[in-house]
Structure formats: structure tokens, C-alpha cells
Amino acid sequence: MNFNDDYRMLIGGRLDKGRARIDVINPATEVVIATVPDAGQEDLDRAVSAAQQAFPGWAATSIEARKAKLIQLAEAITANLDDFKCLLTQEQGKPHADAQREIMGAGHWLKASTALELPVTVNEDSDERYSETRHVPLGIVGAIAPWNFPMLMAMLKIAPALLAGNTMVLKPSPFTPLCTVKFGELASKILPPGVLNIITGGDNLGPWMTKHSGFNKISFTGSTQTGRSVMASAAPTLKRLTLELGGNDPAIILPDVDVEKIAKDLFWAAFRNNGQVCLAIKRMYIHTDIYEPLRDALVAYSRSVKIGDGADQETQIGPLNNKQQYDRVRELIKDVKSTGATILTGGHDIERPGYFLPVTIIDNPPEDSRIVQEEQFGPILPLLRFNNIEDVVARVNASDYGLGASIWSKDEAGAYQLAQRISSGTVWVNEVQYLTPLSSFGGMKQSGIGVEGGVEGLLEYSQSQTLVCRKKPA
Ligand code: NAD
């Protein structure tokens, strides 16, 4: 193990202990595994001012040199893969295999993003005038990350922000700050001081950031409810915003699918990371012709899945990440029981320390019930029956959320046509959750504002500037 248990913030290139500390809990044991600094407002001010001091130099650094630094950061992550994997499981709960996938994904995101270019558009090149529109950095970005994929979600912000020439202050979730802090330690040896600052703290720190006048942009990933507060708080100083928010992703399963073949894929599309995935299948609409066989295959498969501490190599699903989320999902299970809907499997407590809940599958609950209408973000899935396309399209689209969706069918062309009728930022056919740094994704409706990934995502960390040069004096 290369990582020690000394967790410090990164401010202006220096590792900083802070004055107060907050506890970090392993959700599989409820035992405190580490403490991190609890930043005060003066720590935030120092981080912002370090980012401001670093900005002119970083913005003037060539894009090729900035890309080289991102590649070095990626290599530092992969060189410490095992340490990151174990630490991520301890703080987040996910099994080692999933933790490894996330850490690899984080490194990949940094590296692959370097294929992106900031476009320059020549508007006019005539005898009289030259005019071009280019993209210049915004300045200081405040980044706020969630606890479900702490490393990956942080890299989705760091890569485009730094590539476009901005400097950053990043705040991980208080539930999962450890890997991000260790990444900061590695970054302190690679990046010029102040280009990336990482601060940790409790519930006040996010709101202090969103209203801080030193930020030019806030890039936020988290729940829709918090997204609304972020937007309100950014308004007085007109900060730019990217909001990647919650989802209630539908899957539409058409009657021509091979039920036995896809049941396992569908199960994991809903339950990977214990359902704590923004793009997890959260409502599964199954055609009536295959409803019973698919329902039975999902339930049968769920009984083979091993739930436990993510550090145990046999574990396939770990605990929920935190008490708050555990209580919320239990509350939803209680609500399902109150509607009288049939719980096909799960629905009970697991008597052991840690925030463990069983895989819970609900049989065709009412469309207006909470488990269908709200984002559950946990291991509980409603199966919903439909028998005609117009009906299912209407039900799928009647949501304030519009993050992702998926359609499953042997008729790819037909499914592709249907995909165009779904109001979601991404619609997949015969898969879910496939993301790449080279294409954009984001939420429609209340699932977000703006996108991450692709040139479109990169442009959100820049502002367009048009330069016009009159060649002949008037
Ligand atoms: P959350 O909204 O509770 O917290 C997200 C982050 O915001 C944390 O760092 C938290 O400390 C901070 N925060 C909390 N209150 C704040 C405030 N008032 N002002 C500023 N910052 C504040 O979300 P979470 O529970 O960590 O994450 C789960 C949610 O994130 C789910 O809804 C999920 O769908 C969503 N999510 C979305 C995407 C996406 O790309 N759209 C990706 C991952 C997660």
C-alpha cells in the first residue's frame, strides 16, 4: 500500500491539514476509517485565491502542454490502481471489481479527453477583413462531486476544465472524499501550484462555494433538489453553470427480445453499484407478451447475487453508501408496502452492521406511486407492464426527469426510430450507461443543464470570443 492515512487538502500546491476534521465511515461496517479536513470559509478563500493566481499562467500554457499534464495525471492514477481500488471500496462500498472499473475509467477519462480540440471558426477572410471566433477559458471553476462515483465524476470535470485553460477548486462529497484527496496528493507533484485545489468539508462548504464571488463557473453533479439550490445561489454573480442532476431512467423491453439472454444485462443495468447510478434503469417497462417470463428470470437471477462487504472478493453488491440514502430507500420500501403492490423479492431489512438492503423487485405497481415517479437511487426496481407503444411512450415521457433511457429489441432499426420519441439526454438501444469522453451527455428537463463529454462538454468550460481585424483602413 503506497497510500498512508494522512488526508490533506490541496491548496496552492501545498498539502493542508485544515483546522477541524470530519469523519469518514466505511458503509459496510459503519466504522470510522479516516478523517479529512473540515474546511472553513477562510480555507475556501485561500483555495480560490490560489486558483486565481495560477490562472494567467495556466491559460497561457499551450494546450499541448496542458494535455501532457492530464496524461501524467492519468498515469499517476493507473500507477496506484490497487491502492485507489481498496480505498474506494472502503469509502464508497462498491465491490473491488466495480471500484477497479471506476478507477480505470477515471484514468481513461483524463487521457482520452486529450483527443478533444477547441474549435476555431473563421467567420470571414476577405480582402477587407479577417474574423474568427475562438474559445477562451472562463477563469476559476468550482466543481462539486457526488458520492456514487467520486473519482470518475471528479475527472469528468477536471479533464475539460483544465484542458480548456481554467483553474479549479474541487469539492468531493463528505461521504467519499478519500480517493479524491489522495489524487490531490499525486496532482501536487504534477500540476503547477493552484491549478487544481481540492478542499473537503461538511454541509456548509458546497453552499459557500456556489455563492462565492471568486468563481466564474460552478460545475455540479448531484441531485435535482440540490441542483435547484445551486442555481439559485449562483444567480447573484451570474456564474456559468453545468448541472448534471438526477434521473428516473426508463427501459422499454419490446416483445421480440430473447428473455433468457438479456435478463442478466437488464438486472445489472438496474442494480450495479446498488442502483446508485444516475443512469441506472429505474423503471422497467416490459411488454405484456414477455412480462411473466422476464419478471421470473430477473427474480431468479437476483437470488444468485451475493451481497456483502465490497472488500470480500465474492461480493457483487455492496452496502448503500450512507445512512441518509439507506433511510430513504427503506422509506420507499415502506411506501410500496402501503400501496399493496406485490414485492417479488427483497423488501426486508438485513440484520448486520452496515447499510445493507436486499435487491427488491416490485410487480407492476401503480404508475403514480412514489417508486415509479421518484428517483430511488438504491436497490429497488419497479417492473411495469405495457401493451402498446403509444401508451408506453406517453408514460415514459411523463416525467420531470430526462437523463437516460434504453430500448431493448432485436429490431435495431425499429428501436432506433422509437428512441427518437423519448425525451432523454441519451437513449441507448440494447445497452445502457455507455459513456465516452468523446461524446456529450446531459439531462433534458429537470435532469440538468448543459452537458459533459465531447466537444460540447469542453465548450462549456470556455467562452467564445470573436476577433475582427479590418485589413484596409476605412
Ligand atoms: P447531493 O445533491 O446530495 O450532493 C452532491 C454534492 O453537492 C455533494 O458534494 C454535496 O456535499 C454537495 N451539496 C449538498 N448540498 C449542497 C448545496 N446546497 N449547495 C452546494 N453543494 C451542495 O447528491 P448525491 O446524493 O451526492 O448524489 C446522488 C445524486 O446525484 C442522484 O440524484 C444522482 O442521480 C445524481 N447524479 C447525477 C449524475 C449525472 O451525470 N447527471 C451523475 C452522478 C450522480
Side-chain angles (χ1 to χ4, degrees):
M1 182 95 169
N2 295 320
F3 290 169
N4 58 30
D5 56 5
D6 185 16
Y7 295 93
R8 298 176 183 230
M9 300 185 284
L10 174 61
I11 300 180
R14 305 250 290 268
L15 298 174
D16 192 310
K17 261 180 112 158
R19 274 184 227 145
R21 310 284 293 180
I22 52 172
D23 291 341
V24 182
I25 285 170
N26 179 340
T29 58
E30 295 176 63
V31 168
V32 175
I33 47 168
T35 66
V36 293
D38 184 8
Q41 262 172 311
E42 67 291 353
D43 297 313
L44 170 60
D45 288 344
R46 282 191 300 119
V48 171
S49 119
Q52 284 168 333
Q53 280 170 38
F55 175 63
W58 185 247
T61 302
S62 74
I63 192 158
E64 291 316 317
R66 297 198 297 249
K67 286 181 177 181
K69 292 290 185 194
L70 289 182
I71 291 171
Q72 273 182 270
L73 290 173
E75 285 165 355
I77 290 178
T78 34
N80 291 280
L81 177 62
D82 273 354
D83 281 10
F84 273 124
K85 173 186 83 180
C86 295
L87 191 58
L88 184 55
T89 293
Q90 279 183 40
E91 64 175 334
Q92 206 285 332
K94 63 184 67 182
H96 274 172
D98 289 346
Q100 171 148 333
R101 210 171 294 129
E102 177 175 349
I103 300 300
M104 299 283 288
H108 170 71
W109 206 277
L110 288 176
K111 203 169 207 164
S113 296
T114 62
L116 297 170
E117 298 294 343
L118 283 164
V120 177
T121 309
V122 176
N123 307 309
E124 183 179 337
D125 190 4
S126 64
D127 288 345
E128 280 183 19
R129 188 177 292 107
Y130 178 79
S131 160
E132 71 173 32
T133 299
R134 61 187 193 133
H135 298 275
V136 298
L138 289 164
I140 319 306
V141 176
I144 300 179
W147 48 256
N148 59 341
F149 288 87
M151 279 289 276
L152 186 60
M153 295 298 121
M155 300 311 142
L156 262 61
K157 302 182 183 315
I158 292 171
L162 268 51
L163 183 55
N166 304 278
T167 57
M168 176 177 272
V169 178
L170 166 69
K171 185 196 90 65
S173 165
F175 296 118
T176 53
L178 301 181
C179 286
T180 313
V181 163
K182 284 297 166 193
F183 171 74
E185 212 174 297
L186 298 171
S188 72
K189 298 181 190 120
I190 295 170
L191 293 171
V195 167
L196 175 66
N197 305 275
I198 296 177
I199 55 174
T200 54
D203 291 345
N204 289 328
L205 190 54
W208 287 339
M209 283 177 72
T210 54
K211 68 169 188 258
H212 198 292
S213 61
F215 289 113
N216 304 95
K217 175 186 173 92
I218 295 290
S219 177
F220 171 83
T221 301
S223 64
T224 294
Q225 195 185 351
T226 312
R228 291 189 191 103
S229 312
V230 170
M231 193 168 181
S233 164
T237 47
L238 283 180
K239 293 180 187 74
R240 274 56 180 163
L241 285 174
T242 297
L243 300 177
E244 292 288 350
L245 307 179
N248 191 7
D249 290 12
I252 300 176
I253 324 295
L254 294 172
D256 64 349
V257 295
D258 183 335
V259 166
E260 287 305 319
K261 234 180 172 166
I262 68 163
K264 187 174 161 193
D265 286 351
L266 288 174
F267 177 87
W268 287 112
F271 290 103
R272 187 163 299 290
N273 207 31
N274 226 338
Q276 302 164 121
V277 180
C278 55
L279 294 163
I281 294 177
K282 293 176 182 144
R283 307 176 269 163
M284 194 179 289
Y285 291 88
I286 305 173
H287 192 276
T288 194
D289 290 356
I290 50 159
Y291 185 86
E292 278 80 9
L294 182 52
R295 177 194 69 188
D296 296 347
L298 287 166
V299 170
Y301 182 75
S302 76
R303 298 207 167 114
S304 73
V305 170
K306 179 146 181 359
I307 297 174
D309 187 328
D312 173 350
Q313 299 316 303
E314 310 226 299
T315 294
Q316 292 169 287
I317 294 182
L320 281 109
N321 173 256
N322 56 72
K323 176 80 165 58
Q324 197 178 299
Q325 193 59 24
Y326 171 80
D327 287 345
R328 192 180 133 63
V329 176
R330 284 181 78 228
E331 171 60 36
L332 272 175
I333 292 173
K334 218 165 108 190
D335 186 77
V336 167
K337 288 179 178 164
S338 78
T339 67
T342 303
I343 298 179
L344 296 162
T345 187
H348 52 82
D349 285 344
I350 294 181
E351 298 304 332
R352 61 177 278 180
Y355 308 130
F356 290 97
L357 284 174
V359 166
T360 298
I361 301 178
I362 316 298
D363 195 7
N364 204 30
E367 190 71 18
D368 63 358
S369 59
R370 285 182 61 197
I371 189 56
V372 181
Q373 295 302 318
E374 294 182 17
E375 179 185 40
Q376 61 273 53
F377 219 61
I380 169 167
L381 176 72
L383 307 182
L384 299 146
R385 196 188 281 270
F386 75 91
N387 57 22
N388 82 72
I389 292 292
E390 293 313 313
D391 167 56
V392 78
V393 168
R395 287 158 72 188
V396 156
N397 285 339
S399 171
D400 287 339
Y401 291 110
L403 193 56
S406 57
I407 297 168
W408 301 73
S409 169
K410 280 189 187 143
D411 173 11
E412 286 158 26
Y416 199 82
Q417 287 293 319
L418 180 55
Q420 294 166 51
R421 299 182 60 193
I422 308 302
S423 318
S424 297
T426 307
V427 187
W428 287 276
V429 172
N430 294 330
E431 66 175 345
V432 284
Q433 296 161 21
Y434 171 72
L435 299 178
T436 130
L438 305 183
S439 53
S440 66
F441 72 96
M444 288 186 183
K445 301 188 268 185
Q446 294 192 31
S447 284
I449 293 183
V451 294
E452 288 186 320
V455 175
E456 294 90 341
L458 182 61
L459 291 179
E460 296 214 1
Y461 290 89
S462 68
Q463 49 200 334
S464 61
Q465 180 186 46
T466 298
L467 300 174
V468 187
C469 179
R470 175 86 187 211
K471 291 181 180 171
K472 289 180 189 157

